């Protein structure tokens, strides 16, 4: 018997398959459907499904075009839900069935990926299925977000703003944040364009439904009116943790300026998407292909047979040429000598943080770049730069980030190295906890911050400098001006350092450690806790260093003594670069350099600029 795909071949460049999904009496009924071919230019009326595959095997039996097929549990559950909610056959597009997933169907897969954006744009509604892992506290938090969202339907009401604030106060942001971290849909890269390009998206979690674009209106209206309110700032950050990638990718009148101000759509999309997951690393670009094309970026058609490095380089060049900007270098962190350092390695799902803030580029700093062929067959980025200092010493370890999924934790190579440096005595205890390691990350970061205090005090040129420079770094990343909490924060850290020397033993448990006691003391003070959490959340994998000009800085963990600090023409963020040979350098990381973030270090004599080739 011919396969369901042989029976329904795709005969046109904009042809897709749709399921004719038959209604069911309950969600326990087996999925029954027929497979049809349609052309998108015929404007078919259908729903498209956005969901997470979760690496599941196809174990669930369904009936399609008279044949038995096997689909994953997630695919099965969402189709059962739609079928049970329907009174008549519904046309549905879902990738697991509508695209031939066989390894031998690479040509079809490439072609369908190239029109994926068109598919989700054409759907009358995108059904976002958040899975069947229903935690009561998460569902309650999501229900309150849904009620908050529904308020936008009465935006003409006299008490609309007050109602929004009242409803916002009922949302448990901790439970909501835990949901964003615990529901895998929010961690996948493919889903971004599926929502961003949709006409209408409806989220389903347990018994709660939430219309996405109504949420954006309520959220934006609340933030516009109560931007300085602490409760609103907290909710804004929490919602951004879950929906940030999606809202910054919106264009035109649907883009909520109030909650995306300061974020460039393309560059922020890539920054956010780099933290999302994809089973196939090529999908860090191809999973966004429809969005990138909609931005006007010129890209070759998807081709999964291409080397990963080539695909990422094509996307990087496309963004740089479209924007006529080198801002994408903010996403570049050294990984190996085999990777072109000017090309972000989006395959890393937990990259270091980039410096935050508003940075000034002097008027005399003019953008200048081109792409040059290298002897090894790759390409380099040629530009002009001014070297302001060298790195004379580094902390030697780095702060740790929060692991969004067990997959990210398993694939990380930095945690074991840092653990060996600062907490080898707790490694066995941490491994026994599996994926539940938040408390270990908290106390490891305490130890690293204590090392930072000792390092900056030891390396300082004056008693006040280390404190002033550290405050500048911390306050900029936490986006706060909080001298008093900062002083208390340093006091607690320093006190704990003394206690450590007196009380710490190699056998002490994390729960009973002086570092945990310190973390509890920090958490007990609202302002100090806010400073600590915001800073550590925005300085993933950062180390601290001193330049040979005597100032301190911070950036990604790969920084080493002998590296140089360069200001690249037309680009406002200092970059740490590593000499290779002659005028060839590798980018190591964007960095925060005290006293150099507002263009102060740019030379008045432009003859001191030099041409460099970043390889």
């Amino acid at each position: 018997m011919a396969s369901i795909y042989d029976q329904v071949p795709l005969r046109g460049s904009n042809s897709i398959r749709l399921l004719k999904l038959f209604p069911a009496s309950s969600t326990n009924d087996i999925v029954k459907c027929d497979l049809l071919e349609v052309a998108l230019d015929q404007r078919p009326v259908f729903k498209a499904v956005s969901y997470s595959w979760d690496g599941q095997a196809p174990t669930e039996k369904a009936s399609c075009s008279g044949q038995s097929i096997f689909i994953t549990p997630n695919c099965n559950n969402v189709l059962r839900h739609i079928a049970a909610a329907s009174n008549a056959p519904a046309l549905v597009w879902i990738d697991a069935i509508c695209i031939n997933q066989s390894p031998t169907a690479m040509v079809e897969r490439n072609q369908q990926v190239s029109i994926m954006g068109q598919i989700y744009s054409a759907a009358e509604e995108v059904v976002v299925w958040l899975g069947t892992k229903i935690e009561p506290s998460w569902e309650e938090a999501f229900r309150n977000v849904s009620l908050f969202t529904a308020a936008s339907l009465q935006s003409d009401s006299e008490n609309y703003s007050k109602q929004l604030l009242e409803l916002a106060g009922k949302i448990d942001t901790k439970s909501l944040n835990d949901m964003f971290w615990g529901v895998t849909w929010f961690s996948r890269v493919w889903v971004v364009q599926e929502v961003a390009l949709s006409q209408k998206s409806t989220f389903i979690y347990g018994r709660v439904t939430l219309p996405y674009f109504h949420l954006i209106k309520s959220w934006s209206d609340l933030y516009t009116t109560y931007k300085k309110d602490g409760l609103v700032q907290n909710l804004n950050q929490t919602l951004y943790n879950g929906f940030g990638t999606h809202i910054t990718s919106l264009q035109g009148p649907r883009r909520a300026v109030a909650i995306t101000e300061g974020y460039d759509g393309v560059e922020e999309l890539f920054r956010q998407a780099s933290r999302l997951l994809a089973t196939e690393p090529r999908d860090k670009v191809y999973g966004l292909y429809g969005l990138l094309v909609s931005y006007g970026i010129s890209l070759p058609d998807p081709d999964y047979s291409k080397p990963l490095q080539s695909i990422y380089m094509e996307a990087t060049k496309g963004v740089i040429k479209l924007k006529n900007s080198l801002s994408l270098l903010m996403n570049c962190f050294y990984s190996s000598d085999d990777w072109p350092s000017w090309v972000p390695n989006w395959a890393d799902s937990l990259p270091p943080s980039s410096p935050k803030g508003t940075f000034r580029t002097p008027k005399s700093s003019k953008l200048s770049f081109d792409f040059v062929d290298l002897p090894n067959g790759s390409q380099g980025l040629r530009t002009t730069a001014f070297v302001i200092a060298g790195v004379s010493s580094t902390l030697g370890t780095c702060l740790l980030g929060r692991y969004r999924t067990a997959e990210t934790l398993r694939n990380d190579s930095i945690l074991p190295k840092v653990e060996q440096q600062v907490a080898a005595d707790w490694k066995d205890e941490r491994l026994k906890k599996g994926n539940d390691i938040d408390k270990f990350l908290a106390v490891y970061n305490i130890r690293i911050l204590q090392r930072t205090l000792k390092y900056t005090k030891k390396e300082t040129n004056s008693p006040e400098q280390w404190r002033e420079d550290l405050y500048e770094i911390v306050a900029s990343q936490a986006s706060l001006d909080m001298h008093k909490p900062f002083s208390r924060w340093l006091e607690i850290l320093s006190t704990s350092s003394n206690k450590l020397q007196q009380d710490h033993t190699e056998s002490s448990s994390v729960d009973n450690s002086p570092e945990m006691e310190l973390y509890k003391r920090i958490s007990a003070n609202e302002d100090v806790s806010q400073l600590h959490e915001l800073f550590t959340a925005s300085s993933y994998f950062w180390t601290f260093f001193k330049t040979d000009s005597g100032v301190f800085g911070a950036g990604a963990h790969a920084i080493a003594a002998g590296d140089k600090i360069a200001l690249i023409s037309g680009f406002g963020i200092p970059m740490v670069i590593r000499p290779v040979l002659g005028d060839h350098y590798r980018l190591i990381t964007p960095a925060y350099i005290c006293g150099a973030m507002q263009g102060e270090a740019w030379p008045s004599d432009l003859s001191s600029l030099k041409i460099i080739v970043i390889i």
Side-chain angles (χ1 to χ4, degrees), residues 81-331:
H81 175 88
I82 296 173
S86 302
N87 296 319
L91 292 182
V92 177
W93 188 90
I94 189 166
D95 56 358
I97 303 177
C98 295
I99 299 176
N100 187 345
Q101 300 294 332
S102 169
T104 62
M106 183 71 74
V107 173
E108 175 180 315
R109 184 183 175 196
N110 289 341
Q111 188 274 331
Q112 289 287 283
V113 167
S114 72
I115 63 170
M116 197 77 78
Q118 298 175 47
I119 294 172
Y120 280 92
S121 297
E124 66 167 348
E125 180 182 18
V126 172
V127 177
V128 180
W129 180 256
L130 298 182
T132 55
K133 180 185 176 182
I134 309 301
E135 296 286 344
S137 62
W138 299 358
E139 186 178 25
E140 180 63 23
F142 203 62
R143 178 178 291 106
N144 283 328
V145 174
S146 179
L147 293 173
F148 168 74
T149 296
S152 66
L153 299 175
Q154 279 80 45
S155 58
D156 294 334
S157 168
E158 183 178 341
N159 297 318
Y160 173 57
S161 296
K162 291 183 179 179
Q163 184 184 14
L164 281 179
L165 185 62
E166 180 182 342
L167 290 169
K170 295 179 180 179
I171 299 171
D172 181 352
T173 53
K174 181 182 183 307
S175 293
L176 185 60
N177 203 48
D178 288 343
M179 177 189 170
F180 291 150
W181 285 82
V183 173
T184 55
W185 185 91
F186 291 100
S187 69
R188 310 308 296 189
V189 71
W190 269 106
V191 304
V192 176
Q193 70 172 4
E194 295 170 0
V195 169
L197 295 175
S198 68
Q199 301 177 44
K200 172 185 177 182
S201 287
T202 303
F203 284 69
I204 301 173
Y205 182 68
R207 294 164 293 179
V208 181
T209 60
L210 186 151
Y212 176 65
F213 292 107
H214 290 175
L215 167 63
I216 292 178
K217 176 168 175 52
S218 290
W219 178 4
S220 180
D221 289 347
L222 176 73
Y223 192 70
T224 300
T225 307
Y226 299 104
K227 186 175 183 178
K228 296 183 179 180
D229 186 285
L231 180 150
V232 174
Q233 289 179 344
N234 185 33
L235 178 60
N236 179 66
Q237 183 59 57
T238 302
L239 290 172
Y240 198 85
N241 289 343
F243 297 106
T245 315
H246 311 84
I247 63 168
T248 54
S249 62
L250 295 174
Q251 301 175 72
R254 298 201 303 180
R255 185 176 174 92
V257 176
I259 52 179
T260 57
E261 187 177 5
Y263 293 113
D264 178 277
V266 180
E267 288 148 4
E268 179 65 7
L269 170 64
F270 271 120
R271 189 187 76 82
Q272 290 275 347
S274 68
R275 289 170 164 76
L276 301 179
L277 302 178
T279 304
E280 164 57 76
R282 290 168 178 80
D283 287 338
K284 288 296 187 81
V285 170
Y286 290 161
L288 301 170
Y289 187 86
L291 264 178
L292 299 178
V293 170
S294 74
Y295 281 129
I297 298 172
S298 178
L299 291 174
D301 290 338
D303 181 354
Y304 281 89
S305 66
K306 278 186 178 179
L308 181 67
Q309 188 177 114
S310 298
I311 295 169
Y312 285 15
M313 185 179 289
E314 289 167 352
T316 301
K317 290 174 66 175
V319 173
I320 289 175
K321 289 178 179 179
L322 175 75
K323 304 292 292 185
N324 193 33
S325 166
L326 296 179
S327 296
L328 207 59
L329 298 184
M330 282 287 286
N331 297 329

Side-chain angles (χ1 to χ4, degrees), residues 380-393:
L381 175 68
R382 182 165 55 194
T383 185
T384 55
F386 176 61
V387 176
I388 62 174
V391 176
S392 59
S393 68

